[in-house]
Structure formats: structure tokens, C-alpha cells
Amino acid sequence: MTQNYRITLLPGDGIGPEIINVAVDVLKVVGKQFDLQFEFQQALMGGAAIDATGEPLPADTLEICRNSDAILLAAVGGYKWDSLPSHLRPEAGLLGLRAGLGLFANLRPAKIIPQLIDASTLKKEVVEGVDIMVVRELTGGIYFGKPKGIFETETGEKRGVNTMVYSESEIERIGRVAFEAARKRGGKLCSVDKSNVLEVSQLWRDRITSLSQEYPDVELSHMYVDAAAMQLVRAPKQFDTIVTGNLFGDILSDAAAMLTGSIGMLPSASLGASGPGVFEPVHGSAPDIAGQDKANPLAQVLSAAMMLRYGLNQAAAADKIENAVSQVLESCDRTGDIMSPGMNLLGCHSMGKALIQALESGTRD
Ligand code: NAD
């Protein structure tokens, strides 16, 4: 029986429209192969939304997102909007979307793709076999804590203030997502905090430790964030699943991303307790290469695969997309960001065509 899904597309800015087109083409082909009917609806977000409506996340967009089964987002932001006040910048749309949909968990895999191992700046023996999942808390912590702002003191001097705050329930719900993820992976969870300095981290460590009693099959360890940053580049293979707060997760997931060599290859999923999840590449809108057919669409395509796997429970279709990506890389097709001598240089559009060919060849079901 045909399964119907309503998918909201948020192409955003920069390379967003180019890469999301590739992902949609891929989904259409896989949809036919697996009897999935996608109804795509596009909405404005980020700079494109600011230009059209004055707001980075129009109420219409949030409503359309709420009424869908999953959301495929590209990226937002660009030089044009950099000087706007922070609540009107494209990135404010991302924060609004996460808060509006209650997306408190961000899952970012950083897995070495064997065909691209030479793209890593680290030695082959250090990164070979790396397969890390960073589970980042997304709607709490210092990005949302109050008070926040730039205030003037009695002497007229300005003070910038942000507040890192986590409640027990926020820690426990992200902890559960992370323990469950670790259970499905290598069975190891490392919780990252700064409990030697921050009280909020002491509570974090305490709650995660208590929660571990419910997951005796998962081996829990703790690490300070500064040590974790060092260990990620020194010996990344020691990590399986990492759980951490919003700010530390933002930084560590980018560091983990770069172990793989190209930010153009990494997908992510943001999930809530119920309702649609948002699936998007880790990279930004790459305004430096926008509109030049140079973007690597693979992170966006792999985000569509994550959408199928985690958002729509269609693991076989997700496998098919991931296999097509491997097949294309195996045949030495590369975009500029992952190019190396002897490989075939493709633009974004041609990479999409190569993927469709791989999907239709059916050699890797
Ligand atoms: P970026 O990820 O956009 O770009 C960093 C570098 O990686 C650039 O050289 C870019 O050309 C390259 N790159 C990124 N994605 C690529 C791809 N798919 N293919 C080939 N090359 C790729 O980060 P940035 O330059 O720091 O930020 C640019 C804009 O994106 C800013 O406005 C920033 O705020 C925004 N941003 C948005 C998101 C998001 O929407 N989730 C995330 C990060 C940054």
C-alpha cells in the first residue's frame, strides 16, 4: 500500500535551493521504488523570508511545518543580513523553528566514509573507523537562558549577559534520547560537561548518572568539555555516542564533523517528543559558492535519508539512498570540496544526476 507523506521544504539561503533540489529529485526516485508518495510543500525561512516578509520565521512557515510529517531544511544566512539585529537575523529563524516545534534533541553523526578518508586533515590511522553520534540538547542552555541581553550599568558601561540554565527534566529527556541512541549503536555514552566550574554542569552530571541506572547495558563515562575537545582530535575512536548541552554540543559537533574532512557530507536530525522532526545538513549556506553549481549536495541528500530513517520509519529507503551515495563516491565522482587528484570533478547538478543513476541502476539494494 502506498504511504503518503507531507514534507515541508525550507530551502533557505545561499546554496540551499541548489542542494534541496537534488534531495527532492532523489526522494522522488526512491519514493517510486518504495511505494512512498511525497507531497512537497515549500515555505520561506531565513534571509529569503526576511526579504519577503521582514521576519526570519513567518508564522505561516511554522504553521506549514507543524502540519507536515517531516521538514527538510537546507541552510540559512548570508552576508546580506549580517548587520541586522540578532532577533531579525536568519539564524533567529532556526532558533524559532526549534523552539516552535519543541525540537530538543539534535543528532549529528560523524562517520568516516572510507572513500573520503584522505579528505581528513588527521592521520589515516587516527580517523579510520571513526563513527560518532553527537547528541546535543537544542532548546535549553545558554542560547535560551534568561536574563540575556546587553545592559547598561549605573556607570554607563555596557554588560553582555547570557545565562546557562538546565532543569532536571530537560537533562533527563535529552539523556534518554542519548542512552537510547547509544543502545542502538556501540553501547557507550560519554556525557560532556564542565562540572569542575559550572553548577549547571554539576546538576547535568548528577542527573545523567542517575539515569544510567535505567540503562545498565550502556557504558556511561563523563568528560569535561575541554578534555573532550582534545580527545576528539587526539583519539576520536574512543567515542561512540556523546551527549552534551547546547553550547558545548554546537562546538563539539563541528569539531567531530571536521574529523571526516568535509562539512559538505554531514547530515543531522532534530527531534522532539512528538510531531515532525527537522532534517538538515550540518553546514551553513556557503554564500561564497552560492549560485555557482559548486555545492556538495550529499549532506542534504543524507539528511533526506535521516528523515526517512528517524522521521518516517522507512529504513530500507534510507539505506538505498546511503548506498547510492557510497556508489557515487566509489565511482570517483566528487564535488570541489571533496576533490582529490585523479577523481571526476562534478558540479552540484551533475552530482544529483549521478545519484539518480546510481539509484536507478539498482545494483546496491
Ligand atoms: P558554511 O558551512 O556555510 O561554510 C563554511 C565553508 O564550507 C565555506 O567555505 C563553504 O563554501 C564550505 N561549504 C559549506 N557547505 C558546503 C557544501 N555543501 N559544499 C561545498 N562547500 C561547502 O559556514 P559559514 O561560512 O560560517 O556560514 C555561512 C552562513 O551560513 C552564515 O550566515 C552562517 O550564519 C550560516 N550558517 C547557517 C547554518 C544553518 O542554517 N544551519 C549553519 C551554520 C552557518
Side-chain angles (χ1 to χ4, degrees):
M1 203 181 70
T2 307
Q3 290 269 3
N4 294 294
Y5 296 112
R6 189 180 291 175
I7 308 296
T8 299
L9 303 173
L10 302 174
D13 309 312
I15 60 170
E18 301 166 59
I19 58 176
I20 216 160
N21 280 343
V22 173
V24 168
D25 288 346
V26 163
L27 282 168
K28 282 181 182 162
V29 172
V30 169
K32 277 195 197 120
Q33 294 173 334
F34 289 83
D35 218 2
L36 313 173
Q37 178 78 41
F38 298 112
E39 182 196 323
F40 295 106
Q41 43 187 5
Q42 195 159 312
L44 287 171
M45 185 171 148
I50 294 170
D51 288 351
T53 70
E55 295 173 72
L57 180 68
D60 269 8
T61 295
L62 192 54
E63 202 44 39
I64 292 170
C65 289
R66 283 200 177 114
N67 289 321
S68 55
D69 295 306
I71 296 141
L72 191 62
L73 166 66
V76 298
Y79 315 126
K80 184 177 170 190
W81 306 281
D82 276 353
S83 54
L84 289 171
S86 60
H87 68 288
L88 286 179
R89 287 180 53 164
E91 294 78 358
L94 286 176
L95 300 185
L97 187 69
R98 289 168 189 166
L101 295 174
L103 306 175
F104 65 86
N106 184 221
L107 275 63
R108 293 196 186 190
K111 188 172 176 178
I112 286 286
I113 297 177
Q115 297 92 340
L116 297 181
I117 196 159
D118 292 331
S120 178
T121 50
L122 298 188
K123 290 184 191 132
K124 192 173 172 183
E125 59 268 28
V126 174
V127 289
E128 201 160 36
V130 160
D131 182 358
I132 301 171
M133 177 72 84
V134 180
V135 179
R136 166 189 170 196
E137 200 291 326
L138 208 55
T139 52
I142 197 163
Y143 292 174
F144 293 93
K146 297 216 171 94
K148 66 186 288 181
I150 299 174
F151 304 103
E152 206 155 299
T153 64
E154 282 162 11
T155 63
E157 189 189 16
K158 285 184 177 160
R159 277 181 86 217
V161 178
N162 291 91
T163 306
M164 189 183 276
V165 54
Y166 273 114
S167 63
E168 288 180 301
S169 56
E170 283 175 307
I171 300 166
E172 278 171 27
R173 69 179 184 175
I174 190 70
R176 284 188 195 286
V177 171
F179 276 108
E180 295 289 343
R183 189 173 254 179
K184 289 187 196 129
R185 294 171 39 86
K188 278 170 61 185
L189 179 63
C190 178
S191 172
V192 173
D193 62 41
K194 189 69 185 166
S195 60
N196 51 342
V197 180
L198 302 174
E199 282 76 5
V200 56
S201 280
Q202 287 161 18
L203 182 67
W204 178 281
R205 190 173 282 220
D206 183 58
R207 294 321 304 155
I208 296 284
T209 304
S210 298
L211 200 57
S212 71
Q213 287 165 11
E214 293 177 35
Y215 299 89
D217 51 325
V218 176
E219 184 192 319
L220 175 67
S221 61
H222 299 276
M223 205 178 276
Y224 298 137
V225 62
D226 42 345
M230 281 198 286
Q231 292 300 328
L232 262 180
V233 286
R234 195 188 72 84
K237 271 180 270 191
Q238 70 187 281
F239 295 106
D240 170 37
T241 307
I242 292 175
V243 62
T244 190
N246 208 341
L247 173 65
F248 301 154
D250 194 358
I251 298 164
L252 291 183
S253 56
D254 271 10
M258 284 321 290
L259 297 173
T260 67
S262 174
I263 204 156
M265 293 299 303
L266 294 162
S268 76
S270 300
L271 309 171
S274 60
V278 174
F279 302 86
E280 59 179 310
V282 164
H283 61 71
S285 58
D288 52 331
I289 56 165
Q292 298 170 38
D293 194 33
K294 287 184 180 166
N296 180 351
L298 295 179
Q300 182 77 72
V301 168
L302 292 169
S303 302
M306 274 191 104
M307 176 180 88
L308 289 167
R309 190 181 302 286
Y310 294 99
L312 307 178
N313 220 5
Q314 295 289 347
D319 287 346
K320 177 95 189 192
I321 293 181
E322 286 165 3
N323 286 337
V325 170
S326 295
Q327 198 177 330
V328 162
L329 294 172
E330 198 58 52
S331 61
C332 300
D333 289 338
R334 302 283 189 273
T335 45
D337 57 315
I338 50 172
M339 185 62 188
S340 55
M343 303 287 133
N344 318 317
L345 180 62
L346 298 187
C348 181
H349 185 68
S350 306
M351 184 54 104
K353 283 193 3 208
L355 282 167
I356 302 292
Q357 233 172 21
L359 285 169
E360 287 179 338
S361 73
T363 52
R364 286 199 175 211
D365 282 314

PDB file of all heavy atoms in Angstrom, residues 84-100:
ATOM      1  N   LEU A  84      21.901  42.922  10.568  1.00  0.00           N
ATOM      2  CA  LEU A  84      20.588  43.089  11.223  1.00  0.00           C
ATOM      3  C   LEU A  84      20.710  42.766  12.716  1.00  0.00           C
ATOM      4  O   LEU A  84      21.584  41.994  13.113  1.00  0.00           O
ATOM      5  CB  LEU A  84      19.571  42.128  10.593  1.00  0.00           C
ATOM      6  CG  LEU A  84      19.116  42.441   9.165  1.00  0.00           C
ATOM      7  CD1 LEU A  84      18.282  41.288   8.602  1.00  0.00           C
ATOM      8  CD2 LEU A  84      18.311  43.731   9.135  1.00  0.00           C
ATOM      9  N   PRO A  85      19.829  43.336  13.555  1.00  0.00           N
ATOM     10  CA  PRO A  85      19.853  42.964  14.969  1.00  0.00           C
ATOM     11  C   PRO A  85      19.583  41.461  15.129  1.00  0.00           C
ATOM     12  O   PRO A  85      18.892  40.867  14.294  1.00  0.00           O
ATOM     13  CB  PRO A  85      18.710  43.785  15.586  1.00  0.00           C
ATOM     14  CG  PRO A  85      17.946  44.375  14.461  1.00  0.00           C
ATOM     15  CD  PRO A  85      18.789  44.313  13.224  1.00  0.00           C
ATOM     16  N   SER A  86      20.128  40.868  16.205  1.00  0.00           N
ATOM     17  CA  SER A  86      20.162  39.401  16.267  1.00  0.00           C
ATOM     18  C   SER A  86      18.778  38.751  16.161  1.00  0.00           C
ATOM     19  O   SER A  86      18.637  37.692  15.558  1.00  0.00           O
ATOM     20  CB  SER A  86      20.900  38.935  17.517  1.00  0.00           C
ATOM     21  OG  SER A  86      20.251  39.427  18.654  1.00  0.00           O
ATOM     22  N   HIS A  87      17.728  39.385  16.706  1.00  0.00           N
ATOM     23  CA  HIS A  87      16.409  38.730  16.655  1.00  0.00           C
ATOM     24  C   HIS A  87      15.800  38.762  15.257  1.00  0.00           C
ATOM     25  O   HIS A  87      14.802  38.095  14.987  1.00  0.00           O
ATOM     26  CB  HIS A  87      15.454  39.356  17.673  1.00  0.00           C
ATOM     27  CG  HIS A  87      15.062  40.768  17.353  1.00  0.00           C
ATOM     28  ND1 HIS A  87      15.922  41.831  17.482  1.00  0.00           N
ATOM     29  CD2 HIS A  87      13.899  41.285  16.883  1.00  0.00           C
ATOM     30  CE1 HIS A  87      15.297  42.944  17.113  1.00  0.00           C
ATOM     31  NE2 HIS A  87      14.074  42.632  16.749  1.00  0.00           N
ATOM     32  N   LEU A  88      16.406  39.560  14.354  1.00  0.00           N
ATOM     33  CA  LEU A  88      15.873  39.622  12.988  1.00  0.00           C
ATOM     34  C   LEU A  88      16.786  38.937  11.983  1.00  0.00           C
ATOM     35  O   LEU A  88      16.557  38.980  10.783  1.00  0.00           O
ATOM     36  CB  LEU A  88      15.680  41.089  12.566  1.00  0.00           C
ATOM     37  CG  LEU A  88      14.503  41.808  13.207  1.00  0.00           C
ATOM     38  CD1 LEU A  88      14.434  43.242  12.744  1.00  0.00           C
ATOM     39  CD2 LEU A  88      13.183  41.081  12.885  1.00  0.00           C
ATOM     40  N   ARG A  89      17.871  38.321  12.470  1.00  0.00           N
ATOM     41  CA  ARG A  89      18.800  37.672  11.544  1.00  0.00           C
ATOM     42  C   ARG A  89      18.273  36.298  11.143  1.00  0.00           C
ATOM     43  O   ARG A  89      17.456  35.704  11.844  1.00  0.00           O
ATOM     44  CB  ARG A  89      20.185  37.557  12.194  1.00  0.00           C
ATOM     45  CG  ARG A  89      20.853  38.926  12.250  1.00  0.00           C
ATOM     46  CD  ARG A  89      22.199  38.864  12.864  1.00  0.00           C
ATOM     47  NE  ARG A  89      23.029  37.866  12.209  1.00  0.00           N
ATOM     48  CZ  ARG A  89      24.340  37.814  12.333  1.00  0.00           C
ATOM     49  NH1 ARG A  89      24.963  38.712  13.065  1.00  0.00           N
ATOM     50  NH2 ARG A  89      25.037  36.881  11.736  1.00  0.00           N
ATOM     51  N   PRO A  90      18.751  35.784   9.998  1.00  0.00           N
ATOM     52  CA  PRO A  90      18.256  34.486   9.524  1.00  0.00           C
ATOM     53  C   PRO A  90      18.365  33.385  10.576  1.00  0.00           C
ATOM     54  O   PRO A  90      17.467  32.549  10.714  1.00  0.00           O
ATOM     55  CB  PRO A  90      19.168  34.190   8.329  1.00  0.00           C
ATOM     56  CG  PRO A  90      19.615  35.521   7.848  1.00  0.00           C
ATOM     57  CD  PRO A  90      19.708  36.391   9.055  1.00  0.00           C
ATOM     58  N   GLU A  91      19.468  33.397  11.343  1.00  0.00           N
ATOM     59  CA  GLU A  91      19.694  32.337  12.329  1.00  0.00           C
ATOM     60  C   GLU A  91      18.628  32.343  13.419  1.00  0.00           C
ATOM     61  O   GLU A  91      18.367  31.308  14.048  1.00  0.00           O
ATOM     62  CB  GLU A  91      21.088  32.485  12.958  1.00  0.00           C
ATOM     63  CG  GLU A  91      22.244  32.265  11.988  1.00  0.00           C
ATOM     64  CD  GLU A  91      22.538  33.449  11.061  1.00  0.00           C
ATOM     65  OE1 GLU A  91      21.820  34.482  11.126  1.00  0.00           O
ATOM     66  OE2 GLU A  91      23.471  33.331  10.258  1.00  0.00           O
ATOM     67  N   ALA A  92      18.003  33.504  13.648  1.00  0.00           N
ATOM     68  CA  ALA A  92      16.922  33.558  14.639  1.00  0.00           C
ATOM     69  C   ALA A  92      15.771  32.665  14.188  1.00  0.00           C
ATOM     70  O   ALA A  92      15.028  32.119  15.006  1.00  0.00           O
ATOM     71  CB  ALA A  92      16.437  34.994  14.827  1.00  0.00           C
ATOM     72  N   GLY A  93      15.633  32.503  12.878  1.00  0.00           N
ATOM     73  CA  GLY A  93      14.602  31.609  12.340  1.00  0.00           C
ATOM     74  C   GLY A  93      14.844  30.171  12.763  1.00  0.00           C
ATOM     75  O   GLY A  93      13.902  29.435  13.090  1.00  0.00           O
ATOM     76  N   LEU A  94      16.122  29.773  12.776  1.00  0.00           N
ATOM     77  CA  LEU A  94      16.455  28.398  13.185  1.00  0.00           C
ATOM     78  C   LEU A  94      16.080  28.171  14.638  1.00  0.00           C
ATOM     79  O   LEU A  94      15.473  27.155  14.987  1.00  0.00           O
ATOM     80  CB  LEU A  94      17.970  28.165  13.071  1.00  0.00           C
ATOM     81  CG  LEU A  94      18.585  27.998  11.686  1.00  0.00           C
ATOM     82  CD1 LEU A  94      20.098  27.880  11.822  1.00  0.00           C
ATOM     83  CD2 LEU A  94      18.014  26.759  11.014  1.00  0.00           C
ATOM     84  N   LEU A  95      16.452  29.143  15.484  1.00  0.00           N
ATOM     85  CA  LEU A  95      16.148  29.013  16.910  1.00  0.00           C
ATOM     86  C   LEU A  95      14.637  28.977  17.113  1.00  0.00           C
ATOM     87  O   LEU A  95      14.116  28.187  17.901  1.00  0.00           O
ATOM     88  CB  LEU A  95      16.771  30.164  17.714  1.00  0.00           C
ATOM     89  CG  LEU A  95      18.305  30.292  17.643  1.00  0.00           C
ATOM     90  CD1 LEU A  95      18.793  31.392  18.577  1.00  0.00           C
ATOM     91  CD2 LEU A  95      18.997  28.983  18.011  1.00  0.00           C
ATOM     92  N   GLY A  96      13.926  29.819  16.353  1.00  0.00           N
ATOM     93  CA  GLY A  96      12.456  29.878  16.468  1.00  0.00           C
ATOM     94  C   GLY A  96      11.812  28.566  16.031  1.00  0.00           C
ATOM     95  O   GLY A  96      10.862  28.089  16.650  1.00  0.00           O
ATOM     96  N   LEU A  97      12.349  27.976  14.976  1.00  0.00           N
ATOM     97  CA  LEU A  97      11.803  26.708  14.468  1.00  0.00           C
ATOM     98  C   LEU A  97      12.000  25.604  15.502  1.00  0.00           C
ATOM     99  O   LEU A  97      11.091  24.819  15.790  1.00  0.00           O
ATOM    100  CB  LEU A  97      12.504  26.343  13.158  1.00  0.00           C
ATOM    101  CG  LEU A  97      11.955  25.136  12.405  1.00  0.00           C
ATOM    102  CD1 LEU A  97      10.566  25.425  11.830  1.00  0.00           C
ATOM    103  CD2 LEU A  97      12.893  24.703  11.275  1.00  0.00           C
ATOM    104  N   ARG A  98      13.216  25.556  16.064  1.00  0.00           N
ATOM    105  CA  ARG A  98      13.498  24.516  17.070  1.00  0.00           C
ATOM    106  C   ARG A  98      12.578  24.680  18.281  1.00  0.00           C
ATOM    107  O   ARG A  98      11.999  23.709  18.776  1.00  0.00           O
ATOM    108  CB  ARG A  98      14.956  24.619  17.536  1.00  0.00           C
ATOM    109  CG  ARG A  98      15.934  24.181  16.477  1.00  0.00           C
ATOM    110  CD  ARG A  98      17.348  24.571  16.843  1.00  0.00           C
ATOM    111  NE  ARG A  98      18.249  24.324  15.728  1.00  0.00           N
ATOM    112  CZ  ARG A  98      19.474  24.802  15.652  1.00  0.00           C
ATOM    113  NH1 ARG A  98      19.970  25.566  16.611  1.00  0.00           N
ATOM    114  NH2 ARG A  98      20.234  24.533  14.607  1.00  0.00           N
ATOM    115  N   ALA A  99      12.443  25.936  18.737  1.00  0.00           N
ATOM    116  CA  ALA A  99      11.604  26.178  19.913  1.00  0.00           C
ATOM    117  C   ALA A  99      10.141  25.909  19.565  1.00  0.00           C
ATOM    118  O   ALA A  99       9.414  25.259  20.322  1.00  0.00           O
ATOM    119  CB  ALA A  99      11.801  27.606  20.407  1.00  0.00           C
ATOM    120  N   GLY A 100       9.706  26.392  18.377  1.00  0.00           N
ATOM    121  CA  GLY A 100       8.292  26.277  17.968  1.00  0.00           C
ATOM    122  C   GLY A 100       7.849  24.833  17.813  1.00  0.00           C
ATOM    123  O   GLY A 100       6.685  24.510  18.012  1.00  0.00           O
TER     124      GLY A 100
END
